[in-house]
Amino acid sequence: MNGSQPATGVPILRLGDVLVTGLLNELDDKTAVAFTDELTRRITSDEARGVLIDVSRLEIIDSFVARTLMELSTVARLLGARVIVAGVRPPVAITLVELGIQLTGVETALNAEQGMAALGWYRTTAGQREGERWDGDRWDGEQREGA
């Protein structure tokens, strides 16, 4: 596991080919630009194929944060990485809908664990080998039924 805390104060951890980060408080303009720059630089330098952004600590996602997340998702896709925003709180989701703010192009997950699973990671349990990935219908190396 490799991690760093850039000048924005937002830690970005590397778990294999996935970057994990979280927004702990609201972003101002300067911090959002620095965070976007740092995350896109890390996607390229770490050759990340996935990014999980945990927003479960945010009590509000305004139009600025929503736009930042949409732009990050678009840039990451252009760089070959999939972004999942995890942990949107129910009151935040309701407010976004009421205000007509859409997270166009942003994939979401209920929580960080589900977000990591969507990126191919999982919690190791009995009967599964460390490092195996779920490809949607079976674990790596597992024979398909009828094959």
Side-chain angles (χ1 to χ4, degrees):
M1 181 167 68
N2 180 26
S4 74
Q5 186 155 344
T8 61
V10 180
I12 301 172
L13 306 175
R14 180 173 167 244
L15 299 172
D17 56 2
V18 175
L19 297 176
V20 180
T21 187
L23 300 180
L24 303 178
N25 44 36
E26 296 301 315
L27 296 177
D28 59 37
D29 291 357
K30 184 179 177 181
T31 305
V33 169
F35 176 64
T36 300
D37 289 347
E38 176 65 14
L39 191 54
T40 54
R41 186 190 66 73
R42 288 287 305 272
I43 289 168
T44 304
S45 66
D46 293 347
E47 298 180 0
R49 67 165 190 83
V51 178
L52 179 84
I53 302 173
D54 185 346
V55 297
S56 61
R57 299 283 306 238
L58 296 182
E59 296 193 18
I60 187 165
I61 295 178
D62 59 17
S63 60
F64 176 73
V65 173
R67 188 178 79 242
T68 300
L69 292 172
M70 289 186 296
E71 289 172 359
L72 262 172
S73 292
T74 301
V75 169
R77 270 196 310 276
L78 291 171
L79 296 174
R82 179 178 174 196
V83 174
I84 296 184
V85 175
V88 176
R89 293 177 177 200
V92 172
I94 291 167
T95 301
L96 287 172
V97 170
E98 288 173 347
L99 295 175
I101 299 172
Q102 298 180 8
L103 295 176
T104 306
V106 177
E107 284 186 74
T108 60
L110 185 60
N111 55 44
E113 185 174 355
Q114 288 181 7
M116 290 299 286
L119 291 170
W121 287 85
Y122 65 95
R123 182 188 305 173
T124 304
T125 59
Q128 298 162 354
R129 293 183 302 242
E130 187 75 35
E132 287 182 319
R133 290 183 182 238
W134 181 252
D135 73 2
D137 64 349
R138 67 181 175 87
W139 296 104
D140 286 356
E142 183 180 74
Q143 291 292 321
R144 294 187 190 270
E145 289 185 34

